[in-house]
Amino acid sequence: MNLSEALLHALKTHGAREIFGIPGDYALPFFKVIEESGILPLYTLSHEPAVGFAADAAARIHSGLGVAAVTYGAGALNMVNPVAAAFAEKSPLVVISGAPGKGETQRGLLLHHQAKSLDSQYRIYQEITCAQACLDDVRTAPAEIARVLRACLSRSQPVYLELPRDMVNLPCGQVPAAGEPAFDPEALAACADEILARLRSARSPVLMIGVEVRRFGLEQKVAELARRLGLPVVTSLLGRGLLANTDAPLLGTYIGVAGLPAITELVEKSDALFLLGVIVSDTNLGVSAKHIDLRLSIQALDRQVTIAHHVYPEIPLGPLVEALLARLSAQTPAALQHEAAVYPRGLPADTAPITPLDIATAVNDLMDAHGKMPIATDIGDCMFLAMDIEHTALVAPGYYATMGFGVPAGLGLQAATGRRPLIIVGDGAFQMTGWELGNCRRHGWDPIVLLINNSSWEMLRAFQPESKFNDLDDWHFAEAAIALGGDGVRVRNRGELAQALNAAQQRRGRFQLIEAMVARGAMSPTLARFVEGVKSKRV
Ligand code: S1T
Ligand code: MG
């Protein structure tokens, strides 16, 4: 077995199901092994940001490793933003970059694709990954790969592997399955006891769940935990879509002033807010109506638990959930008195202009009629209107908030699950990575794409309406669909929107682009409240 095969087998053993990538001369030998070995399927795309976003989305929906393979310099540095997004949003992404061979680096010449120095790229990636290794020695490579992949899984953050092209085919030993990092069972027991004691003595305990619950594959166990605790459960903004397929007592998503008042009040009045796997960020907790006193909270994130002013270090989320479940009897306490969020349905098939809320309503009607779909959104009002869509598997850049995520992430969802995704994206974000739809035909993908065309960076206009630079041109995106191998239609009113969605749902084998014309100034209720909330905090 050569080094590349050892790496590919290790990726598969640790849960990877596919590789997204774009080769280059420093990566051609490695891509040759990927293609000829068939150990993992390879999906090439057109621009490295899309490779990173697609692999990130695959990691999220798998609750396992996503893999992005690129060439050195121009390729890997092109992908810094998506990897930064994966780091911020705790996605276990493995970045594999080809690199110059050892011999090449000793000729005293500057190499093509080299930036400042040959190890500049490695140093840049140290800032956006939790572990790194350069595989320049076959004697240490198996242990190095095991170390890095274990870090990726235990911290649920990206890692970086650099593979010099003259190492690719060298004979190499098998990569050992690296064991789970150890933790102290006594500390875990004390921590679980203290958490339950605090929740039981609280007047209004609330459970808020976040992305780590999915990243560590804990949704079913957390649903059971919620039932046994008998607490009202909400998700963070980034955790939207969690518990969608469980019968947990889920009320909806907490978005502070931008969310449903009943949920906002419940969370902000809680004297024991149990933040399970929640990233404590401005987008998750920053737009609170009333300041949330984190000293009253219990935070389980990043392998540690913080309660008031003390910390339990090295407490992995999975064992913590198990320890809590072991301390709670299986019967479910009395039903909760809080009503869950209600989502809009029954879009009138009339000639009224389309609003963002109509788009959410139309999607709810579509899923009622034809079953739930996994959804990928970009950033922009597309993400905020998704808060009015019924709970379903959702990937969105809810914290790092980078544009360009939506379309590649939707392609990653279909590659990873085989399920047809719904992609919701604004025109500004589509201008960045929407053209990746041109790769659907050769990979057999057929997403339904709802493109909100307001010819505007509308979310920015909401904050700074006086700026003309938020005006975009109308690119007539639907007309481009045919050239890209799909079908496209422009819809101008609610009747056309509903009809186009149903027609798209019937057509398989080609992507379906529905370009929904929305007036500038039309915002979803959630975005409108979010903008108001942020502005009121600024005064
Ligand atoms: N560039 C990238 C890569 N990501 C970003 N988030 C931004 C810039 C800033 C930004 C937003 S929202 C937004 C920009 C430019 C406009 C989005 O326009 P569009 O996709 O058409 O959606 P909508 O019209 O619904 O706003 C956030 C605030 O940072
Ligand atoms: Mg727009």
Side-chain angles (χ1 to χ4, degrees):
M1 175 162 60
N2 66 37
L3 173 51
S4 305
E5 290 158 341
L7 171 56
L8 292 169
H9 281 302
L11 287 167
K12 190 168 186 176
T13 307
H14 285 79
R17 293 287 170 269
E18 66 285 302
I19 296 176
F20 298 90
I22 296 176
D25 65 324
Y26 289 118
L28 279 175
F30 179 52
F31 274 70
K32 178 177 165 70
V33 176
I34 296 173
E35 183 172 74
E36 293 176 359
S37 71
I39 297 167
L40 287 171
L42 170 64
Y43 299 105
T44 55
L45 295 173
S46 303
H47 195 207
E48 284 85 357
V51 169
F53 291 136
D56 176 353
R60 295 185 194 206
I61 205 74
H62 278 322
S63 298
L65 294 183
V67 183
V70 289
T71 191
Y72 178 78
L77 297 184
N78 222 1
M79 200 166 65
V80 166
N81 182 50
V83 177
F87 186 88
E89 299 188 359
K90 300 191 64 63
S91 190
L93 179 60
V94 180
V95 175
I96 303 169
S97 174
K102 262 189 281 195
E104 302 173 76
T105 58
Q106 278 137 23
R107 289 190 311 203
L109 299 175
L110 289 174
L111 300 182
H112 66 283
H113 290 339
Q114 175 181 340
K116 187 173 183 182
S117 64
L118 282 171
D119 58 357
S120 294
Q121 176 173 308
Y122 191 97
R123 286 207 300 273
I124 288 166
Y125 269 86
Q126 281 178 314
E127 277 304 298
I128 51 175
T129 56
C130 68
Q132 313 82 24
C134 181
L135 304 178
D136 55 7
D137 181 342
V138 284
R139 292 165 303 178
T140 59
E144 285 291 85
I145 293 168
R147 170 182 65 82
V148 167
L149 295 188
R150 178 41 53 206
C152 187
L153 288 170
S154 62
R155 308 211 67 83
S156 190
Q157 286 176 320
V159 294
Y160 175 73
L161 291 170
E162 196 162 283
L163 181 53
R165 59 179 163 183
D166 59 357
M167 298 295 297
V168 164
N169 294 305
L170 294 185
C172 179
Q174 192 174 350
V175 175
E180 283 286 337
F183 60 85
D184 176 352
E186 238 181 81
L188 175 66
C191 179
D193 289 339
E194 185 175 354
I195 289 173
L196 291 178
R198 289 208 172 225
L199 293 176
R200 285 177 179 134
S201 63
R203 175 180 35 80
S204 59
V206 174
L207 174 60
M208 183 186 296
I209 57 175
V211 282
E212 280 197 344
V213 168
R214 167 171 286 127
R215 301 288 187 266
F216 294 114
L218 296 169
E219 283 188 74
Q220 292 303 334
K221 287 187 176 152
V222 169
E224 177 60 22
L225 177 65
R227 279 193 294 274
R228 291 191 193 182
L229 282 170
L231 297 187
V233 191
V234 299
T235 77
S236 64
L237 175 59
L238 198 54
R240 174 82 182 177
L242 279 171
L243 304 192
N245 306 316
T246 71
D247 61 349
L250 181 65
L251 302 182
T253 298
Y254 171 73
I255 344 178
V257 290
L260 297 176
I263 291 179
T264 302
E265 190 175 344
L266 183 76
V267 167
E268 294 177 5
K269 283 202 168 148
S270 172
D271 59 341
L273 182 57
F274 185 10
L275 300 169
L276 194 63
V278 174
I279 297 175
V280 182
S281 68
D282 56 356
T283 50
N284 274 344
L285 301 180
V287 279
S288 51
K290 197 171 73 61
H291 173 67
I292 293 178
D293 185 349
L294 289 175
R295 291 169 305 177
L296 298 178
S297 72
I298 301 161
Q299 300 172 45
L301 182 74
D302 280 341
R303 296 177 67 84
Q304 71 175 27
V305 175
T306 305
I307 302 177
H309 297 289
H310 57 282
V311 176
Y312 289 86
E314 279 312 302
I315 301 285
L317 203 68
L320 176 65
V321 170
E322 296 285 1
L324 292 169
L325 282 170
R327 286 162 171 77
L328 293 161
S329 60
Q331 88 264 355
T332 303
L336 293 164
Q337 303 314 316
H338 309 278
E339 76 285 352
V342 177
Y343 298 104
R345 286 171 159 82
L347 184 70
D350 57 20
T351 56
I354 300 166
T355 67
L357 187 60
D358 291 333
I359 289 174
T361 308
V363 170
N364 288 331
D365 292 345
L366 182 79
M367 294 204 293
D368 283 350
H370 303 291
K372 286 194 175 180
M373 297 174 80
I375 296 179
T377 81
D378 216 289
I379 183 68
D381 203 3
C382 57
M383 189 180 79
F384 290 90
L385 73 83
M387 299 301 116
D388 281 309
I389 292 175
E390 183 61 70
H391 265 254
T392 184
L394 170 72
V395 291
Y399 161 40
Y400 183 76
T402 178
M403 288 162 73
F405 179 86
V407 169
L411 304 183
L413 287 186
Q414 186 156 15
T417 65
R419 293 178 63 197
R420 188 183 207 183
L422 173 67
I423 297 168
I424 312 177
V425 58
D427 56 312
F430 191 91
Q431 289 177 10
M432 292 185 179
T433 57
W435 313 106
E436 294 291 343
L437 290 175
N439 293 298
C440 286
R441 183 166 42 198
R442 64 192 176 96
H443 292 314
W445 300 327
D446 61 349
I448 296 178
V449 183
L450 257 174
L451 196 165
I452 302 164
N453 188 356
N454 47 23
S455 302
S456 167
W457 285 331
E458 196 59 25
M459 190 169 161
L460 297 188
R461 187 195 307 280
F463 286 106
Q464 195 166 300
E466 67 276 20
S467 297
K468 290 278 162 280
F469 54 65
N470 290 318
D471 298 351
L472 301 180
D473 196 353
D474 177 356
W475 283 28
H476 291 273
F477 299 95
E479 292 169 30
I482 293 281
L484 293 170
D487 298 310
V489 62
R490 170 173 279 204
V491 294
R492 295 176 180 284
N493 62 49
R494 301 196 297 195
E496 290 174 2
L497 171 63
Q499 193 194 358
L501 269 172
N502 281 310
Q505 202 279 336
Q506 306 297 326
R507 262 189 233 122
R508 292 305 307 254
R510 292 164 61 86
F511 73 79
Q512 301 296 306
L513 178 63
I514 300 172
E515 181 185 18
M517 303 310 287
V518 173
R520 284 178 184 164
M523 266 191 279
S524 68
T526 306
L527 179 58
R529 289 193 296 261
F530 182 81
V531 169
E532 259 332 290
V534 169
K535 281 180 176 173
S536 65
K537 290 220 164 270
R538 279 185 186 157
V539 294

